[in-house]
C-alpha cells in the first residue's frame, strides 16, 4: 500500500538544509574557488576584528561601522548576483511543506556559511561596547549581537527576493542601479555631507540615524534605560518574525512566478533594422541589447548615478572641484561595467564564429554601440558640469580628457572582453535574480578594477600635454582616443578571429585544466591576501592622494578637498605626494609581479 | 594552424587544393564532409577518439549513438566550433581549419544548447544574421518572411528569443542555419523537443533540401526517425565509429534499433530492483 509520507519536522528539515549547504560548499571548494573563499574569509575576519577595535578605541564610531556591515548585506547580494543562493528555493518547491516552514529551514541553511560567522565576530563588538555599561551591558550586547545578525541576514534575503520578483522593468532596474551608484558614491565621498551636517556631535541627527538603522539597535539598546532596552530587543524579535513571514510569502510567489528574469516588459512592434551591413548592423543589434537587457540598464544607471552623485556630495561643503569631471567619471565607470561584453552574451558567440568574416564587424559594432550609449551622456554631463560649476580652469582638462577617455574606453572594453572573458550562465538559463549574470563575481569585479586603472592610464599622455599647452592637450586627447579605439579594437578582433573558439568553449565547458600554467591560486595564502588587498586599495594612494594633489599643486588650485597632502604644512606636501604615489605604485607592482614571478619560476621547474 | 596538418612518417603532409569548377566552387564529387582521425579529450576523459567519417554529397546522413557517445563533440569539431586535439575535417574538400572562412560559407549549423542573440525577436535575429553575411536587404527580408511563416514563428513577432520555448528555439536555430542557402546542413538533435506537427514540417523542409542537391547531417538517438528520413547512417559509441554506410547495409535484415543495440553492446535495463515501487 502507498504510504502517506510526512515531511520531517522544522528542526530536522533545518538540519538537512544546513548539511546540504555545507555539502555543496565542500564540493565547490576546489582550486580558484577555495582560494577566493579563504582570501575572503581572511579579509572578513580582519575587518571583524577591526570592528571590535573600533568598539574599544573609538566607541563613538561603532554605530557607523556596524552600518557599513549592514550595507554590505544589502548591497553585496545586489552587486554580486544571487546573494550566495547556494540553496535555491526552486529546489524545494515540490516538498510537501508550508512555505513558512521551508523559509525557516532555508534561513537556517543561509546561516551555515562563512559570511554570517564572520559577521558574528564583528557583532561581538556589541558586548565589548556593553562592557562600558557594566555586566548587564555585556549581556544585552550578546543578545543584541544574535538578533542583529539574524535581522541583517533576513533583510538581505528579503531584498534579494524582492528584486527577483519585482525588477521586471527598465524603471525598477534603473532604480536599483541608482541606489547602488549612490551608495558607492556615499562610500567614497559620504564624509562630506556628514561633516557639513555636524560630524561626531552625538546630538546631531546623523548619530540618531545610524542608531535607527537595524545595525544600530544593539548600540541603542545598550545605551538606553532598562524599560526602553527591553522594548528595543522585543521590537527586534518582532521585526525578525515579520521578515520571516514576508520572506516566506515572497519565496512561494517566486517559485510559482513564471517570468524569466532580465527582461523589460512588453513593448510595441520593434523598429526594423537598418539596411546596412558589417559593423553598423552589429551596432544596431547591440543597441537593442542595451535597451532590452535589465542587467545592462542597471549597470549603466549605476555608472551614471555614481558619476553625478560623487561630485555633488562635495558641493555640500562648497567644493565644486569635481563637478566639471562628472562626464569623465561616467565614462570610466561605464567602461568598468561593460568589460565583460562577450561573457554577458554567453555562447551566442557561436553565430559570429560560423559567419565568415563576422569577427571584425562584431567587435567594431560593439565599440560603436558603446560609444553611442555612453558618449552623448558623457558629453552633456561634461559640458553642463563645467558650465554650471564655473570652474573655467577645468575646460582644457575636460575637453582634452573627454575624447581620450571615450576612445580609450571603447578600445579597452573590447580588448578585455576577448582576452579576460569571465564565463557566466547563458541568458536563457539564468535563475530567479534578473540582475545576475551568473558569472564569477570575484573575477568580474577584478576585471572592473582593471578597467578603472587602464582607462585613466590611456588618458595620461593627454593630461601631460594639457599641462604643457591646453591646445596641444586637446589635440593629443583626440589623437589618443581615436588611436586607442582603432588599435585596441583591431587587436581585439584579430584575437577573436584566432581565439574565438577557445572563448566559446570557455563559456560552454568552463576553463580547461592546464596543469603547466599556475594561477594566483597557487600563491601562498599570505601573498594571495596581500595581492588581493593591494589590488583593492592601491588606487587610493596613487590616484586621489598622489596624482590628483600633484596635478592640483602644479596647476595651482587652492581647493584642498580631501587631499591629505594639501592639508599639511607646505614643506611636507611634496614628500607626502611622492610617498603616496610611490606607495600606490609599490602596491600595484607587488600585486602584479608576485604572481608573475611565481608563474615563471614554476614553469621553469615543470618544463 | 598546426592542428590541421597531421604529421605522417615524420614529415607534414599538405593536402592538395580541392578540385574546383569554373566558378571556383568545389566540385560536387567531393564528399560533403570528411573527417580524418578526429580526436578530443576533456581533461582525462577521451570524448572522441580517432573518428573517420565520410558523408557523400547529396546524402541525408544520420549520426546516431547513446548519450555521451561523442556525437555533439564530433559535429562541433567538424564545423569548426571546437578545436580538435588531432585530425582534420573537410567540407566539400575545403579544410575547415585551414580555409576557415570558405568552409563557413558552405555550411549551415544548428548546434545543441548554444545561446542566440537572446534580446532580439526571431525576425530581428534572421535580419541581423542575413545582413551580417552580406545578403542583399531585399533577399534577407523575403527569406526571413518565408522562414518565419513556414516554421510558424510569425505569430511570435514581438517575442524575444530569450522567451522562446525549447521547441521554438530549435526552429529559429534551424531558420538561421537555412537562411544563407548553404550546401551542407549540420544539425545537432534538430527534432528534440519539437512538437509532432513542427517535426513533420522540418522533415519535409529537409527532404526538399536534400532532393534539390543539398546534403544534410543530423544527430539523433531516435532510431525510428533516423530510419525514416536518412539514407546513410553512422553509429558512434564511446568516441568511436562502430558502423557507417548506407542505411540498408548498417541495419541489415532487422530494424535500425536492433542493429544499434547489437552494435553498442547495450542491454536494456529496468527489470531488476524497485520492488517497493507499487501502488497496491
Amino acid at each position: 500500500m502507498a504510504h502517506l509520507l510526512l515531511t520531517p519536522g522544522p528542526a530536522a528539515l533545518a538540519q538537512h538544509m544546513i548539511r546540504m549547504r555545507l555539502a555543496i560548499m565542500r564540493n565547490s571548494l576546489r582550486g580558484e574557488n577555495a582560494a577566493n573563499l579563504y582570501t575572503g574569509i581572511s579579509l572578513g575576519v580582519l575587518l571583524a576584528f577591526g570592528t571590535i577595535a573600533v568598539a574599544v578605541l573609538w566607541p563613538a564610531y561603532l554605530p557607523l561601522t556596524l552600518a557599513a556591515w549592514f550595507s554590505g548585506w544589502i548591497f553585496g547580494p545586489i552587486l554580486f548576483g544571487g546573494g550566495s543562493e547556494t540553496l535555491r528555493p526552486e529546489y524545494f518547491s515540490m516538498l510537501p511543506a508550508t512555505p513558512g516552514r521551508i523559509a525557516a529551514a532555508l534561513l537556517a541553511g543561509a546561516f551555515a556559511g562563512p559570511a554570517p560567522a564572520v559577521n558574528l565576530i564583528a557583532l561581538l563588538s556589541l558586548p565589548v561596547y556593553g562592557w562600558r555599561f557594566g555586566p548587564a551591558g555585556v549581556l544585552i550586547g550578546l543578545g543584541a549581537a544574535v538578533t542583529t545578525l539574524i535581522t541583517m541576514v533576513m533583510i538581505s534575503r528579503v531584498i534579494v527576493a524582492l528584486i527577483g520578483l519585482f525588477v521586471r522593468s527598465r524603471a525598477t532596474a534603473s532604480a536599483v542601479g541608482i541606489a547602488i551608484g549612490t551608495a558607492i558614491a556615499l562610500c567614497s565621498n559620504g564624509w562630506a555631507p556628514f561633516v557639513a551636517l555636524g560630524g561626531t556631535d552625538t546630538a546631531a541627527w546623523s548619530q540618531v540615524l545610524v542608531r535607527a538603522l537595524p545595525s544600530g539597535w544593539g548600540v541603542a539598546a545598550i545605551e538606553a534605560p532598562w524599560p526602553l532596552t527591553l522594548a528595543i530587543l522585543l521590537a527586534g524579535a518582532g521585526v525578525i518574525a515579520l521578515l520571516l513571514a514576508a520572506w516566506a510569502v515572497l519565496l512561494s510567489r517566486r517559485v510559482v512566478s513564471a517570468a524569466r528574469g532580465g527582461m523589460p516588459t512588453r513593448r510595441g512592434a520593434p523598429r526594423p533594422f537598418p539596411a546596412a551591413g558589417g559593423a553598423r548592423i552589429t551596432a544596431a543589434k547591440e543597441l537593442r541589447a542595451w535597451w532590452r537587457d535589465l542587467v545592462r540598464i542597471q549597470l549603466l544607471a549605476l555608472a551614471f548615478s555614481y558619476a553625478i552623485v560623487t561630485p555633488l556630495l562635495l558641493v555640500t561643503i562648497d567644493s565644486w572641484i569635481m563637478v566639471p569631471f562628472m562626464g569623465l567619471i561616467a565614462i570610466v565607470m561605464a567602461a568598468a561595467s561593460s568589460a565583460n561584453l562577450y561573457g554577458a552574451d554567453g555562447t551566442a558567440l557561436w553565430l559570429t564564429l560560423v559567419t565568415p568574416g563576422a569577427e571584425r564587424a562584431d567587435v567594431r559594432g560593439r565599440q560603436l554601440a558603446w560609444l553611442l550609449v555612453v558618449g552623448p551622456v558623457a558629453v552633456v554631463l561634461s559640458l553642463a558640469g563645467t558650465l554650471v560649476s564655473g570652474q573655467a580652469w577645468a575646460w582644457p582638462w575636460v575637453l582634452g580628457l573627454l575624447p581620450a577617455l571615450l576612445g580609450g574606453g571603447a578600445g579597452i572594453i573590447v580588448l578585455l572582453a576577448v582576452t579576460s572573458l569571465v564565463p557566466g550562465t547563458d541568458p536563457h538559463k539564468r535563475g530567479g535574480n534578473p540582475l545576475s549574470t551568473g558569472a564569477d563575481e570575484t573575477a568580474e569585479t577584478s576585471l572592473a578594477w582593471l578597467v578603472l586603472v587602464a582607462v585613466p592610464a590611456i588618458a595620461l599622455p593627454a593630461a601631460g600635454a594639457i599641462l604643457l599647452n591646453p591646445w596641444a592637450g586637446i589635440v593629443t586627447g583626440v589623437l589618443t582616443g581615436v588611436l586607442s579605439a582603432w588599435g585596441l579594437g583591431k587587436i581585439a578582433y584579430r584575437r577573436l578571429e584566432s581565439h574565438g573558439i577557445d572563448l566559446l568553449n570557455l563559456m560552454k565547458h568552463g576553463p580547461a585544466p592546464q596543469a603547466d600554467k599556475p594561477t594566483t591560486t597557487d600563491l601562498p595564502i599570505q601573498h594571495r591576501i596581500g595581492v588581493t588587498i593591494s589590488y583593492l586599495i592601491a588606487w587610493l594612494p596613487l590616484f586621489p592622494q598622489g596624482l590628483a594633489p600633484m596635478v592640483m599643486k602644479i596647476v595651482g588650485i587652492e581647493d584642498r578637498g580631501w587631499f591629505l597632502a594639501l592639508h599639511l604644512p607646505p614643506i611636507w606636501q611634496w614628500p607626502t605626494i611622492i610617498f603616496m604615489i610611490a606607495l600606490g605604485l609599490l602596491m600595484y607592482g607587488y600585486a602584479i609581479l608576485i604572481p608573475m614571478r611565481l608563474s615563471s619560476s614554476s614553469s621553469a621547474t615543470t618544463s | 594552424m598546426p592542428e590541421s596538418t597531421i604529421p605522417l612518417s615524420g614529415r607534414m603532409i599538405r593536402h592538395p587544393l580541392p578540385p574546383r569548377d569554373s566558378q571556383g566552387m568545389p566540385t560536387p564529387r567531393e564528399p560533403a564532409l570528411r573527417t580524418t582521425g578526429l580526436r578530443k579529450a576533456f581533461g582525462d576523459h577521451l570524448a572522441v577518439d580517432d573518428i573517420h567519417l565520410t558523408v557523400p554529397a547529396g546524402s541525408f546522413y544520420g549520426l546516431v549513438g547513446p548519450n555521451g557517445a561523442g556525437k555533439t563533440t564530433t559535429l562541433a569539431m567538424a564545423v569548426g566550433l571546437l578545436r580538435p586535439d588531432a585530425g582534420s575535417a573537410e567540407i566539400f574538400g575545403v579544410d575547415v581549419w585551414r580555409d576557415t572562412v570558405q568552409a563557413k560559407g558552405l555550411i549551415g549549423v544548428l548546434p545543441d544548447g548554444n545561446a542566440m542573440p537572446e534580446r532580439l525577436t526571431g525576425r530581428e535575429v534572421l535580419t541581423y544574421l542575413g545582413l551580417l553575411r552580406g545578403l542583399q536587404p531585399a533577399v534577407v527580408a523575403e527569406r526571413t518572411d518565408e522562414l518565419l511563416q513556414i516554421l510558424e514563428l510569425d505569430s511570435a513577432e514581438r517575442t524575444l528569443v530569450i522567451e522562446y520555448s525549447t521547441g521554438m528555439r530549435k526552429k529559429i536555430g534551424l531558420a538561421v542555419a537555412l537562411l544563407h542557402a548553404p550546401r551542407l546542413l549540420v544539425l545537432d538533435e534538430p527534432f528534440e523537443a519539437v512538437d509532432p506537427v513542427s517535426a513533420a514540417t522540418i522533415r519535409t523542409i529537409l527532404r526538399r533540401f536534400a532532393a534539390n542537391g543539398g546534403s544534410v547531417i543530423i544527430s539523433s538517438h531516435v532510431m525510428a526517425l533516423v530510419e525514416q528520413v536518412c539514407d546513410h547512417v553512422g553509429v558512434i559509441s564511446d568516441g568511436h565509429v562502430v558502423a557507417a554506410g548506407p542505411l540498408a547495409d548498417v541495419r541489415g535484415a532487422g530494424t535500425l534499433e536492433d542493429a544499434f543495440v547489437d552494435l553498442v553492446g547495450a542491454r536494456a535495463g529496468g527489470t531488476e530492483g524497485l520492488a517497493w515501487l507499487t501502488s497496491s
Side-chain angles (χ1 to χ4, degrees), chain B residues 102-251:
Chain B
Q102 203 198 343
K104 283 174 184 176
L106 298 171
I107 46 177
V109 184
L110 171 70
D112 188 30
N114 274 350
M116 300 283 290
E118 304 284 342
R119 289 169 208 281
L120 300 184
T121 65
R123 178 179 297 278
E124 286 176 333
V125 168
L126 294 177
T127 312
Y128 160 61
L129 288 168
L131 293 171
L132 193 62
R133 275 195 181 261
L135 299 177
Q136 287 304 309
V139 176
V140 174
E142 191 195 328
R143 290 187 186 177
T144 300
D145 268 337
E146 276 192 56
L147 282 169
L148 289 177
Q149 205 183 346
I150 204 159
L151 290 167
E152 290 167 327
L153 291 169
D154 52 343
S155 57
E157 275 294 332
R158 294 184 188 181
T159 313
L160 301 187
V161 171
I162 194 171
E163 300 162 289
Y164 274 19
S165 67
T166 318
M168 288 165 84
R169 294 184 76 89
K170 279 281 181 220
K171 290 201 272 182
I172 192 69
L174 184 69
V176 166
L178 292 167
L179 182 63
H180 54 287
R183 294 183 54 197
L184 167 66
L185 277 175
V186 180
L187 314 172
D188 198 355
E189 302 281 5
F191 297 102
E192 205 181 34
V194 177
D195 67 79
V197 179
S198 303
T201 312
I202 294 176
R203 273 201 304 274
T204 312
I205 297 173
L206 295 183
R207 278 209 192 100
R208 273 176 62 190
F209 178 80
N212 291 331
S215 315
V216 186
I217 306 172
I218 64 167
S219 79
S220 180
H221 43 233
V222 183
M223 297 304 143
L225 185 131
V226 170
E227 213 165 3
Q228 197 185 344
V229 297
C230 296
D231 47 43
H232 283 69
V233 189
V235 185
I236 295 191
S237 178
D238 270 336
H240 297 274
V241 179
V242 291
L247 176 66
D249 295 358
V250 172
R251 74 174 160 194

Side-chain angles (χ1 to χ4, degrees), chain B residues 241-278:
Chain B
V241 179
V242 291
L247 176 66
D249 295 358
V250 172
R251 74 174 160 194
T255 64
L256 184 61
E257 188 153 344
D258 294 337
F260 177 80
V261 171
D262 269 356
L263 281 165
V264 303
R267 185 178 59 96
T271 49
E272 306 90 0
L274 306 187
W276 46 268
L277 193 58
T278 160

